[in-house]
Amino acid sequence: MSVFSSLRKFGKVFSQIDVSETIDALGKLNQTELYQIMKIIKSKGKVYQPPEIDGDYYHLSRFLTPEEREIQLKVREFMNEHVKPIANDCWNKAHFPMELIPKMAELNIAGLTYEGYDSPMGSYLLEGFITMEMARVDTSISTFFGVQSGLAMGSIYFCGSEEQKWKWLPAMQKMEKIGAFGLTEPNVGSAVAGGLETTCKRDGDSWILNGQKKWIGNATFADLTIIWARDLDDNQVKGFIVEKGTKGFKAEKQEDKMALRTVQNALITLTNCEISEENRLQECNSFKDTSKVLKATRAGVAWQAVGCARGAYECALEYSTQRYQFGKPIASFQLVQDLLVQMLTDLTAIQSMAFHLSKLQDEGTMTDQQASLAKVACTKHTREIVGHAREIFGGNGILLEHNIARFVADAEALYTYEGTKEVNSLIVGRDITGISAFV
């Protein structure tokens, strides 16, 4: 079709302008300039249909088995149907939706990687994808699940006796019993390996616990809390299953958090809290045993970061296709596309890193240092990704209704818990140099 044929379609427009001047101007254009005009004319009237949004750009989910993929999609459906509609309200009110626990239990995914004890049995890779699916909608819910399935159940699985495992794990797997994990203290965070202030002392067939724990997720409503304490007799770390209602155990909700507000963190005070020898984790004799739990769950935090980053990226991408400025979607602007690609680049990198870490876990070859490196890298890049996402939203980015503000805030908690960047960096640094820089 000629240029003049195209121009005749716009008779009404040309009736209001000097056609001869327009034709004269067109005659002075070169072939490239005329092509651009034709491109603009042809594009008029076309309805913009953005491509499907998928943060799994390298299609890593294809490495899941069909059965695993089905579970992943069930978790996605659960999060979209039950969590997404209430996530902002719960976060804003610092309220945990207890009514979701039975629905989550129906997914049959707690304790997925443990062998026996009524575990459904699954791969670490599948567990990683499940964690990611939760965090891409609500990092708080993924944290609740990580405490239950990873830290609390993991403490009993790795450090408990057979009797303790059979007593607690099946009920926790069904989420009939909810657990918490009490390691961090008001004065002791990074130094927990050798500086726990919470103490325990044996007294006949019982142990007396004294001290405080801080930032303990789920602890305000948990049926049992794993408490780690330093034995006054041998100075080694011991673990205890402290049941709800135990005399001398007090859990107070921590208020005014700026991140993971839906998670119910507690300040725990233990005052001459008497625990029977039966509830001491029988296979925990030092902090090295505690580290077995942290090693396994640190990889989970890397996947949480991936999920948080993916949720932010997908929100920003969707928003950019719907938000119009200067008569067109901001997704058409070069600077916005550059930001989106930066986000996708980092997201794909950390997703690939977490993916390979889980493969190492499934092979049984993952080291503490590898888990620490993934935790450092994934949480660091997640902070950058959510920052770029917030930038794309402009002023709307600080409004909770757009979700992105929640992702930005929650990324800060991920960056710190389960070992700070500095501590995890020193773990890796010690491995690659052969020199310990810990004080």
Side-chain angles (χ1 to χ4, degrees):
M1 184 182 293
S2 68
V3 172
F4 295 102
S5 297
S6 299
L7 294 178
R8 276 194 290 270
K9 291 184 177 182
F10 300 93
K12 291 183 180 180
V13 176
F14 285 120
S15 67
Q16 301 174 20
I17 63 175
D18 190 324
V19 176
S20 62
E21 286 186 11
T22 302
I23 293 174
D24 182 59
L26 288 171
K28 295 177 182 179
L29 300 177
N30 60 36
Q31 187 174 2
T32 301
E33 291 168 330
L34 285 170
Y35 171 76
Q36 292 297 326
I37 290 177
M38 288 298 299
K39 187 176 180 182
I40 292 171
I41 291 173
K42 289 180 178 180
S43 68
K44 295 298 183 181
K46 287 186 177 180
V47 178
Y48 169 56
Q49 292 292 342
E52 182 181 352
I53 295 173
D54 185 2
D56 186 6
Y57 201 66
Y58 277 11
H59 306 299
L60 296 178
S61 61
R62 75 185 189 276
F63 291 99
L64 295 173
T65 66
E67 293 77 15
E68 289 176 330
R69 177 66 171 160
E70 183 180 355
I71 294 171
Q72 179 198 6
L73 294 178
K74 281 184 178 179
V75 174
R76 179 177 298 181
E77 180 182 11
F78 167 80
M79 295 300 295
N80 287 332
E81 181 179 347
H82 298 291
V83 179
K84 192 172 184 178
I86 64 172
N88 287 335
D89 188 56
C90 288
W91 194 93
N92 194 39
K93 295 177 180 177
H95 164 75
F96 186 84
M98 300 294 293
E99 68 276 9
L100 291 186
I101 293 178
K103 294 182 175 68
M104 186 181 291
E106 292 174 4
L107 295 171
N108 193 31
I109 53 176
L112 191 68
T113 59
Y114 306 140
E115 185 175 354
Y117 315 105
D118 294 348
S119 166
M121 287 297 293
S123 66
Y124 281 103
L125 184 61
L126 173 59
E127 185 177 64
F129 272 92
I130 288 171
T131 300
M132 182 271 295
E133 288 292 346
M134 289 185 174
R136 72 190 282 265
V137 173
D138 187 355
T139 312
S140 289
I141 294 299
S142 75
T143 298
F144 159 77
F145 182 75
V147 172
Q148 169 74 3
S149 181
L151 290 170
M153 291 182 69
S155 296
I156 297 172
Y157 181 78
F158 289 111
C159 300
S161 65
E162 283 297 308
E163 183 179 356
Q164 289 171 329
K165 292 175 185 179
W166 278 112
K167 179 179 179 180
W168 295 106
L169 292 180
M172 295 177 77
Q173 196 282 324
K174 296 179 180 66
M175 294 194 175
E176 295 168 352
K177 297 290 184 181
I178 300 300
F181 179 88
L183 179 61
T184 304
E185 300 179 348
N187 297 322
V188 183
S190 298
V192 292
L196 284 183
E197 294 180 352
T198 298
T199 62
C200 60
K201 184 174 179 60
R202 185 151 189 174
D203 181 15
D205 291 331
S206 300
W207 292 80
I208 307 301
L209 277 59
N210 283 285
Q212 285 189 313
K213 299 293 180 179
K214 193 174 183 180
W215 303 112
I216 312 307
N218 301 355
T220 60
F221 58 86
D223 297 292
L224 64 143
T225 301
I226 306 298
I227 295 292
W228 305 92
R230 179 174 52 85
D231 190 343
L232 289 173
D233 291 329
D234 62 12
N235 211 39
Q236 296 297 323
V237 172
K238 303 287 195 302
F240 300 87
I241 301 169
V242 181
E243 299 181 55
K244 185 177 184 179
T246 299
K247 186 178 179 181
F249 176 90
K250 181 180 180 182
E252 302 171 89
K253 179 180 175 180
Q254 291 180 241
E255 303 285 358
D256 303 324
K257 295 185 299 174
M258 65 159 278
L260 298 179
R261 289 174 53 80
T262 304
V263 177
Q264 303 299 292
N265 293 94
L267 172 68
I268 293 175
T269 302
L270 300 141
T271 307
N272 293 324
C273 185
E274 185 175 345
I275 308 299
S276 67
E277 167 65 12
E278 176 183 309
N279 274 14
R280 181 182 68 82
L281 292 175
Q282 298 298 305
E283 299 302 321
C284 180
N285 299 302
S286 71
F287 191 78
K288 288 183 178 179
D289 297 313
T290 314
S291 294
K292 296 175 185 176
V293 183
L294 299 176
K295 174 184 175 182
T297 56
R298 194 158 285 155
V301 179
W303 274 107
Q304 275 190 294
V306 171
C308 181
R310 181 171 172 178
Y313 163 75
E314 291 178 343
C315 278
L317 177 55
E318 181 179 27
Y319 181 80
S320 73
T321 66
Q322 298 173 351
R323 173 70 168 177
Y324 276 67
Q325 291 289 284
F326 307 106
K328 53 186 176 180
I330 64 172
S332 65
F333 300 154
Q334 290 183 353
L335 292 178
V336 171
Q337 288 195 8
D338 183 60
L339 275 178
L340 289 168
V341 173
Q342 286 184 55
M343 294 165 64
L344 181 60
T345 299
D346 287 345
L347 171 60
T348 303
I350 63 176
Q351 192 165 217
S352 299
M353 190 177 200
F355 174 89
H356 191 66
L357 186 70
S358 290
K359 297 291 283 185
L360 293 175
Q361 276 186 294
D362 284 324
E363 294 172 1
T365 60
M366 186 194 77
T367 66
D368 291 326
Q369 297 85 355
Q370 290 168 334
S372 289
L373 183 62
K375 201 278 180 178
V376 167
C378 292
T379 56
K380 174 180 180 293
H381 286 296
T382 291
R383 286 175 104 198
E384 296 167 359
I385 291 168
V386 299
H388 288 324
R390 153 73 182 87
E391 191 173 347
I392 287 174
F393 276 83
N396 284 334
I398 66 172
L399 295 174
L400 194 57
E401 67 183 87
H402 292 285
N403 298 314
I404 200 63
R406 178 163 49 83
F407 284 119
V408 171
D410 290 348
E412 291 302 309
L414 293 176
Y415 186 68
T416 301
Y417 74 22
E418 285 274 354
T420 62
K421 171 186 176 293
E422 291 76 17
V423 166
N424 279 299
S425 294
L426 292 180
I427 291 172
V428 178
R430 180 176 58 192
D431 185 52
I432 62 177
T433 66
I435 303 171
S436 175
F438 284 96
V439 176

